[in-house]
Amino acid sequence: MTQTIHIERTTTPKPKPAANELGFGKYFTDHMFILDYEEGKGWHNARIVPYQPISLDPAAKVFHYGQTIFEGLKAYRTENGKISLFRPDMNMKRLNRSNDRMSIPPVDEALGLEALRQLVLIDQDWIPDAPETSLYVRPFVIATEPALGVSPSQQYKFMIILSPVGTYYAEGIKPVSIYVESEYARSVVGGVGHVKTAGNYAAGLKAQEGASALGYSQVLWLDGVHRKYVEEVGSMNVFFRIGDKVITPALTGGLLPGITRDSVIHLLKHWGVEVEERLISIDELVQAQKDGSLKEMFGTGTAAVISPVGSLHWKGEKLMIGDGSTGELSARVYDTITGIQNGRIEDPFSWRVVVE
Amino acid sequence: MTQTIHIERTTTPKPKPAANELGFGKYFTDHMFILDYEEGKGWHNARIVPYQPISLDPAAKVFHYGQTIFEGLKAYRTENGKISLFRPDMNMKRLNRSNDRMSIPPVDEALGLEALRQLVLIDQDWIPDAPETSLYVRPFVIATEPALGVSPSQQYKFMIILSPVGTYYAEGIKPVSIYVESEYARSVVGGVGHVKTAGNYAAGLKAQEGASALGYSQVLWLDGVHRKYVEEVGSMNVFFRIGDKVITPALTGGLLPGITRDSVIHLLKHWGVEVEERLISIDELVQAQKDGSLKEMFGTGTAAVISPVGSLHWKGEKLMIGDGSTGELSARVYDTITGIQNGRIEDPFSWRVVVE
């Protein structure tokens, strides 16, 4: 890392929201990180400044052609009063894989991690310490060149903003009901479903709205080609406990390589649970539900960590998962991962990174 | 239309670029249109103001989840000194279809058209009058709510900006060489390939860069499911003259219903040319090229109008289209559509809308 991060502190710190009002991504801290890119000059002008609006030309490419990527991770106030991050190096690596797919120049990962560290330290008073709360960290890159030709931007901004958050779902770790989506598709192999780019999320809103209108929390996405293989649930990866095995969709190119997904696989294997990463069809799932072997199902992601699924709606039928309540393995995974994250329990994998 | 458009004129008009320096989407005029949306309040505060940067919270949803759509059309200085638009009602209708798919509230089409009319009139001195030049009009909507939950924004901006443009492709109406893309996919049925949303364009950059590196102008996109049926070329619709018929991919949901596409179909039928809108596979194309019946191929879009294709690169082979030069029908379509647009010839379809 060759760049120094210039720091300008706010002179007007904001009041902090109460823990029970946090929600997800509604409040932002006092500072933010910015790094500029210009073709020929590279990434430059690393700075932490007071959180404030950014000013962009209305022709900035992000508005027109969606050249943008993001990441998400959390900072925790651990029980001994320290601050920890969860596998932040994985986020920076994925950020650059996303950049590559979206024709955005790579960001220096060491600089990104250092920016993250300094920003979290500066705004450490914003890390909530009530149970289930944390400081959500959102690094993102946007294309800022004011030009309407369809080509990669010659200017970008890499930014990090912070938001104190409660649980992602208002209902907390309670099983949700899921609508299996058969009309809309989230992604296709050869597309961008495997990277964290803005367009993937906007494309999923319509299906989500439809599911909500029918009383479901999220949709279960099937692959775009065969409309048969399960890919993600909402904007999370998904796991199924069938008999004594746990199955999760293989990273075929249509789904995001989640960091929580990776952590859950490691954890389950560490416990001696057999995990299969492979194609899993909706038909196989329905069959497993009918014969009683589908014991548990849960989504995984940074925001919710683990989101148990209580029932699936498929072809007019409501399929209960297990007895509809949070499964024993789901609960154990949730407790262990959140326990490692907030320092409540030992971290055998060295996933926790203390910020100091 | 119930809203009045408030007008604030610039006091510092910018110098205008020379006709030979225009390029595409590099220069912007003195004014822009803005309309705000807020949940519960609807679209409000219609205004034309000096062209200027916009200020957005770094958490604005457009940066993170890509909830945005756009349109593109052109204003022309006709030979009798009037200003004309080309089928602007089609753009406003498609804008609302795009809005619907992207969970964005609909815009009053009459207000949008009136905004467009007033803005073009205010900046009419920016409409270039050299051959092949025009004033490109870019309406777009961006999600501005500062919140990181993945859900439709509660705040938006609908804006219109204007850019005096030359021809889209530096090479002008000269046949381009095209790389048939087999690794990347542009869209899939059930996705968003049929609407003008930002993410579609960012997703295509990587393939475009690959094709450019190999010396090709654009890629020919095959469908995301079978990787077999031709969909678009670059960001244009595509037409093939095979024998005495003209074939263009049917609107299956994976490609954009282009306004130039629609106009070309109408025009060809008006001339008595048989036009088929149907699935057309790359194999059929290659076969037609081999047996000599593939006479012409061209892309259509607002920016380039008609872009003839001279050759296709497929599986290591270079397939010449006709004799590699601009085909007779392609040239006639180009001359007629641009002639109608700039008022050089009669407009039997009432496509030209005079702005006054």
Side-chain angles (χ1 to χ4, degrees), chain A residues 51 54 57 103 189 209 227, chain B residues 51 56-57 103 189 209 227:
Chain A
Y51 189 92
I54 52 174
D57 194 286
S103 302
V189 173
E209 282 191 307
R227 296 299 186 96
Chain B
Y51 189 92
L56 291 178
D57 194 287
S103 302
V189 174
E209 283 191 307
R227 295 301 186 96

Side-chain angles (χ1 to χ4, degrees), chain A residues 24-26 28 32 51-59 61-70 100-103 136 138-142 146-153 159 161 163 168 183-192 197-209 224-227 235, chain B residues 24-26 28 32 51-59 61-70 100-103 136 138-142 146-153 159 161 163 168 183-192 197-209 224-227 235:
Chain A
F24 184 85
K26 287 160 51 188
F28 299 92
M32 63 188 191
Y51 189 92
Q52 62 192 285
I54 52 174
S55 176
L56 291 179
D57 194 286
K61 288 196 171 185
V62 60
F63 298 138
H64 303 272
Y65 306 129
Q67 209 194 353
T68 173
I69 61 92
F70 70 91
D100 179 64
R101 178 62 183 86
M102 305 312 291
S103 302
Y136 183 76
R138 169 58 59 93
F140 62 107
V141 179
I142 54 175
L148 297 183
V150 179
S151 59
S153 181
M159 300 183 62
I161 57 177
S163 171
Y168 188 81
E183 180 184 358
Y184 296 108
R186 181 185 164 274
S187 77
V188 66
V189 173
V192 295
T197 186
N200 287 337
Y201 297 80
L205 293 174
K206 188 82 175 172
Q208 172 62 42
E209 282 191 307
V225 173
H226 310 93
R227 296 299 186 96
S235 47
Chain B
F24 185 85
K26 287 159 51 188
F28 299 92
M32 63 188 191
Y51 189 92
Q52 61 193 286
I54 52 174
S55 176
L56 291 178
D57 194 287
K61 287 196 172 188
V62 60
F63 299 138
H64 303 273
Y65 305 130
Q67 209 193 351
T68 173
I69 61 92
F70 70 91
D100 179 65
R101 178 62 184 84
M102 305 312 291
S103 302
Y136 184 76
R138 169 57 61 93
F140 63 106
V141 179
I142 54 175
L148 297 182
V150 179
S151 59
S153 181
M159 299 183 63
I161 57 176
S163 171
Y168 189 80
E183 179 183 359
Y184 296 108
R186 180 186 165 274
S187 77
V188 66
V189 174
V192 294
T197 186
N200 287 337
Y201 297 81
L205 293 175
K206 188 84 173 170
Q208 172 63 42
E209 283 191 307
V225 173
H226 310 93
R227 295 301 186 96
S235 48

